[in-house]
Amino acid sequence: MMNQAPPPGHQQQSPPGRTAQQAKVIARCAIWFLFISGFLLWPYQPSQAAQTPAVVQMPSSASNIIQAASEHSYPPFCVVTDNNQADGFSVELLRAALQAMHKEVTFRVGPWAEIKQDLAEGRIQALPLVGRTLEREDLYDFTFPYLTLHGTILVRDSETSIQSLADLRGKQVAVMDGDNAEEFLQRMQLEARVVTTETFEVALRQLAAGQHDAVVIQKLLSLQLMKQLEITNLKSVGPPLQEFVQSFCFAVTKGAHTLLSTLNEGLSIVFADGTFNRLRVKWFAPIEAMEHQRSRIVIGGDSNYPPYEFLDESGQPSGYNVDLTRAVAKELGIDIEIRLGPWAEIRDALEQGKVDLIQGMFYSAERESTYAFSTGHSVVNHVIVGRTNTLLPQSLAELSDRSIAVMDGDILQALAVKQGFADQLNLVKSQEDALRLVAEGTTEFALVAKLPAFYWIHQHRWQNLQVGSQSLISPEYCYAALHGKDRLVRLFSAGLANAKGTGQYREIYAKWLGIYEAPTISWREVLKYSLFTTGPILILLGGSVLWSRTLRQRVTQRTKELQAEVAERQQGELEIRAKNTELDKKNAELERFAYTVSHDLKSPLVTLKSFLGFVEKDLQSGDRERVANDLRFMHSAIDKMNQLLGDLLHFSQTGWQGASSEKVSFRAVVSQALSLLAGPIRKAGVQVSVAEEAIQFCGDQTRLIQIWQNLIDNAVKYRCPDATWPKSIPLVQVGVDTSGKEPTFFVRDNGIGIEPKFQNKIFGLFNQLDPKVDGSGVGLALVARIVELYDGKIWVDSKGCGHGTCFRFTLPGALKDSAKDLNKAFSATSD
């Protein structure tokens, strides 16, 4: 006889359930509670006029409508409908973020080159999809990234000579005009012939027709365009381009800080409420599923694990897992075959590649090294089952010297072995067999999942078995596949999220599992819970009645207070604007800091995680040389993380209140800075000359030394022996220009120079123009902050590459004799 789960609502099964009569009692209590609440509150509802203070006015509809634009063809992010309306993932996301902040948005459609210029010149207020790059920082302000993706190289199927970026040298490469891909290729200096097209659609059509050698494009976009254009003779080559990372953001006009804050908050809301995941599944899942639509995906499961998965009387797959998998596959539009069998055979089939995905596997840290897991679709409690005439243990520790039945390959087997019970285990093929051994008296106890235990006890009418109430473990039940098919797991995670959003998941859960998990509620418990809930609520209702009687008086009083506050705010408008300017500056610094932490600090962690896996494999294979190489990479990542964190701490501490103040000479400050850099200067063969100036400072000696130390160190790192001033050896000049109203200090070198377009960016946190040079990009930001503490300014003079660099700065606050003024500056900065 095939296994069949009991129908929902079956009244003869052993799991306890709430009776219909008890449910009616609860419903009646709820109805009476709502009636009493309405009766008590209705007479005291204040009028609409009383609830709205006269001075509070809703903003005009025009101020609530944001003007935005979307490009013609960048699917699935930005597309145009048949009636010429903007649509796509990024368009919907911007609309949802603004809706969460009670604002509306209108879109017009145009070419990318046109709409990005409109935003830069203020003709529109926002764009839904802009890749954040250093080159664009001067043009726009960006929200935090909502999506980070890598690029790829597209070639014709017949192309075999191009497999990586290096192979593009001398080749003709097409990109969309003004896209991140064009900026990326310019930065990489690959010596490729870059050709721009109006859209990527044009680039792909031309490549497929035999023009160009390759197209550099974001991979998700390439899949969508090839599907949309029905192009079948192109392929993606090589691994994802790690150097071409696109961090997609909303962009606003430079300086639009209020709108930027609104969008950041709206984005946070749509991330938290699930809207982002729903939109991602809607727009991306069909594209990611394209790779799996050409062939059927085989989904494996246990044939004897009801009510989760089993074979029904006709031998067909049935159960909670089966219905859920079919719902997910329908959401994704993919073809699946569900194959159920003995658990050990299904796991072997997965290892052999005969099964692509398992629809129900319990997550554990040990298993994660072998399998990729989706988000959990349920949580399963595991318990001890024994005979009714036996005192039932409540933990594994109490099973010492007892005989135990457990399913071979089950997560409980691994747990029992880990705790030293391997010699006591009786391994069986299914949890049904484990329960049968206990019922027959062959084994004392069984370790099983709780719901399958209830099912089999009811099915076989095993009256002599009792199920433990204390859960041993409650692992997540997930989709799982071998590493290497992680994208398939992510695809099913996305489909699962969509099934939850549409309500299908809740229906399936209630059908198969709800009847087992409903708690028993007695008449006494109904009365107790009613008193506990309605008593405090009635007290609150009484208080609300008293409160409502005085509401009008309080509203009138508050209205007068608001009017007074508005008048006061108008009088102090200039002061508020000044504070807002400072706040905007700090917000911008905070946004860059958050962006940097999410991007720069993540890289060493990714390296560590990757090489931990390599170390494990190399240890298993006994390759000591590769293990040593892996460890060198890991040490390098740790050193990089340590340097970043140390520099961040150092940077954040600059400006603390209570900095020391002492008199020190210009010559002493520069001499100490040079002594700290003696090693790098000697190693690089740099000659440093220092002007003889009798200037005295009054300030924090450590902070002052850091100015010259970082500027001289910067000159040493970016030296250029072939520079034009003079040509023989690297030189650094440290001096003071006293010809103006106040002394101007300078550090001049004959190094590689700085292009004019980058000169206003170098003082930003982590803005390192040459990533090959050792450092974290904090030095110049630290110098700028210290100079500001002394009421000074810093700027850079350079004619560009090969013409050297001269940093100039003033320190009026350090030239004062009053330590009181200095401490005041430090205190204000730390506030």
Side-chain angles (χ1 to χ4, degrees), residues 80-136:
V80 180
T81 63
D82 293 338
N83 58 351
N84 204 36
Q85 297 299 309
D87 201 4
F89 169 76
S90 296
V91 171
E92 281 205 62
L93 186 64
L94 178 60
R95 186 177 287 118
L98 286 169
Q99 185 176 5
M101 301 302 293
H102 307 288
K103 291 185 179 294
E104 300 177 11
V105 60
T106 61
F107 290 92
R108 69 176 183 80
V109 177
W112 169 243
E114 176 184 314
I115 63 174
K116 71 172 185 177
Q117 192 65 27
D118 287 344
L119 181 64
E121 297 176 1
R123 288 186 288 272
I124 57 175
Q125 296 171 273
L127 287 174
L129 179 72
V130 181
R132 187 171 188 170
T133 65
L134 190 63
E135 292 84 355
R136 293 174 177 172

Side-chain angles (χ1 to χ4, degrees), residues 230-420:
E230 298 181 352
I231 295 176
T232 58
N233 66 331
L234 300 183
K235 63 182 179 180
S236 174
V237 295
L241 300 178
Q242 297 298 325
E243 305 91 338
F244 183 23
V245 180
Q246 290 184 287
S247 296
F248 290 129
C249 314
F250 298 148
V252 300
T253 306
K254 193 70 177 176
H257 301 301
T258 301
L259 178 56
L260 184 66
S261 298
T262 298
L263 288 174
N264 273 325
E265 185 175 351
L267 261 180
S268 300
I269 292 172
V270 299
F271 267 97
D273 67 11
T275 302
F276 178 86
N277 284 335
R278 178 178 58 79
L279 293 177
R280 178 165 184 157
V281 171
K282 173 183 176 181
W283 289 100
F284 294 162
I287 302 172
E288 294 175 343
M290 288 172 57
E291 300 177 11
H292 305 288
Q293 288 175 341
R294 298 177 182 177
S295 60
R296 174 173 290 187
I297 299 173
V298 179
I299 311 294
D302 194 336
S303 60
N304 196 16
Y305 198 66
Y308 296 100
E309 49 191 9
F310 58 93
L311 296 174
D312 63 17
E313 291 183 343
S314 60
Q316 297 301 310
S318 186
Y320 161 80
N321 290 356
V322 173
D323 282 1
L324 183 61
T325 298
R326 286 171 175 160
V328 169
K330 185 177 180 181
E331 289 291 332
L332 298 174
I334 57 179
D335 185 21
I336 64 168
E337 174 191 345
I338 298 179
R339 187 179 299 171
L340 302 186
W343 177 241
E345 294 181 12
I346 291 297
R347 287 186 64 173
D348 289 342
L350 181 68
E351 300 283 347
Q352 298 165 9
K354 298 177 182 178
V355 168
D356 298 303
L357 186 78
I358 287 182
Q359 62 185 358
M361 180 181 285
F362 295 116
Y363 170 83
S364 71
E366 293 78 11
R367 287 178 171 179
E368 192 174 24
S369 62
T370 305
Y371 305 102
F373 288 90
S374 71
T375 52
H377 51 71
S378 59
V379 174
V380 179
N381 296 319
H382 289 70
V383 295
I384 299 173
V385 174
R387 288 185 292 278
T388 52
N389 59 355
T390 305
L391 181 62
L392 199 62
Q394 297 300 309
S395 67
L396 277 178
E398 299 177 39
L399 293 177
S400 179
D401 300 325
R402 302 295 188 95
S403 57
I404 306 168
V406 65
M407 188 175 77
D408 188 16
D410 187 68
I411 192 171
L412 283 174
Q413 179 198 1
L415 181 63
V417 170
K418 187 176 181 180
Q419 297 200 13

Side-chain angles (χ1 to χ4, degrees), residues 210-221:
Q211 299 183 49
H212 320 304
D213 297 305
V215 170
V216 174
I217 185 174
Q218 193 274 320
K219 187 168 185 179
L220 194 65
L221 172 62

Side-chain angles (χ1 to χ4, degrees), residues 303 375 471 569 585 635 709 761:
S303 60
T375 52
S471 294
R569 284 198 299 269
K585 183 178 178 181
H635 281 299
Q709 179 183 350
K761 302 175 183 178

Side-chain angles (χ1 to χ4, degrees), residues 139-164:
L139 299 175
Y140 318 112
D141 282 335
F142 296 90
T143 62
F144 65 84
Y146 58 78
L147 205 61
T148 300
L149 299 172
H150 291 85
T152 190
I153 302 172
L154 285 185
V155 298
R156 287 179 288 276
D157 287 340
S158 58
E159 177 64 60
T160 58
S161 64
I162 299 177
Q163 296 295 326
S164 66

Side-chain angles (χ1 to χ4, degrees), residues 357-608:
L357 186 78
I358 287 182
Q359 62 185 358
M361 180 181 285
F362 295 116
Y363 170 83
S364 71
E366 293 78 11
R367 287 178 171 179
E368 192 174 24
S369 62
T370 305
Y371 305 102
F373 288 90
S374 71
T375 52
H377 51 71
S378 59
V379 174
V380 179
N381 296 319
H382 289 70
V383 295
I384 299 173
V385 174
R387 288 185 292 278
T388 52
N389 59 355
T390 305
L391 181 62
L392 199 62
Q394 297 300 309
S395 67
L396 277 178
E398 299 177 39
L399 293 177
S400 179
D401 300 325
R402 302 295 188 95
S403 57
I404 306 168
V406 65
M407 188 175 77
D408 188 16
D410 187 68
I411 192 171
L412 283 174
Q413 179 198 1
L415 181 63
V417 170
K418 187 176 181 180
Q419 297 200 13
F421 298 136
D423 295 337
Q424 302 168 222
L425 300 182
N426 189 347
L427 301 181
V428 294
K429 292 183 178 180
S430 68
Q431 299 206 354
E432 179 187 12
D433 292 338
L435 293 169
R436 179 178 288 107
L437 292 180
V438 178
E440 294 173 351
T442 305
T443 304
E444 294 178 86
F445 300 102
L447 303 180
V448 294
K450 192 171 187 177
L451 296 193
F454 280 138
Y455 173 86
W456 289 120
I457 291 172
H458 165 75
Q459 189 80 1
H460 294 293
R461 294 181 172 82
W462 285 325
Q463 304 277 334
N464 64 334
L465 295 185
Q466 58 175 329
V467 178
S469 59
Q470 185 69 35
S471 294
L472 301 176
I473 54 172
S474 299
E476 287 189 325
Y477 205 24
C478 313
Y479 290 102
L482 292 174
H483 285 300
K485 292 194 174 182
D486 301 61
R487 290 192 59 165
L488 180 60
V489 174
R490 290 197 300 269
L491 181 65
F492 269 74
S493 289
L496 177 61
N498 206 38
K500 290 182 177 180
T502 60
Q504 295 181 78
Y505 170 83
R506 177 51 52 191
E507 293 176 5
I508 295 169
Y509 190 95
K511 172 185 175 182
W512 290 103
L513 308 182
I515 57 173
Y516 293 97
E517 297 185 345
T520 300
I521 301 180
S522 66
W523 285 94
R524 184 171 296 177
E525 288 175 322
V526 170
L527 180 59
K528 180 177 69 175
Y529 292 141
S530 297
L531 290 175
F532 276 135
T533 54
T534 58
I537 292 175
L538 288 174
I539 293 174
L540 290 174
L541 287 174
S544 67
V545 170
L546 295 176
W547 171 79
S548 62
R549 289 178 176 177
T550 60
L551 180 60
R552 292 186 182 181
Q553 296 178 354
R554 296 171 65 179
V555 167
T556 302
Q557 178 182 356
R558 183 56 181 157
T559 299
K560 293 179 180 178
E561 293 174 355
L562 288 173
Q563 290 172 335
E565 291 175 5
V566 169
E568 183 179 350
R569 284 198 299 269
Q570 290 174 345
Q571 293 176 358
E573 184 176 350
L574 292 178
E575 181 180 351
I576 292 173
R577 285 180 180 177
K579 291 182 179 179
N580 283 342
T581 300
E582 182 65 23
L583 180 61
D584 289 342
K585 183 178 178 181
K586 291 184 178 181
N587 280 339
E589 183 176 343
L590 179 60
E591 289 170 10
R592 174 170 286 279
F593 181 84
Y595 172 74
T596 300
V597 170
S598 66
H599 186 276
D600 289 45
L601 296 186
K602 185 178 180 182
S603 178
L605 293 177
V606 172
T607 300
L608 282 174

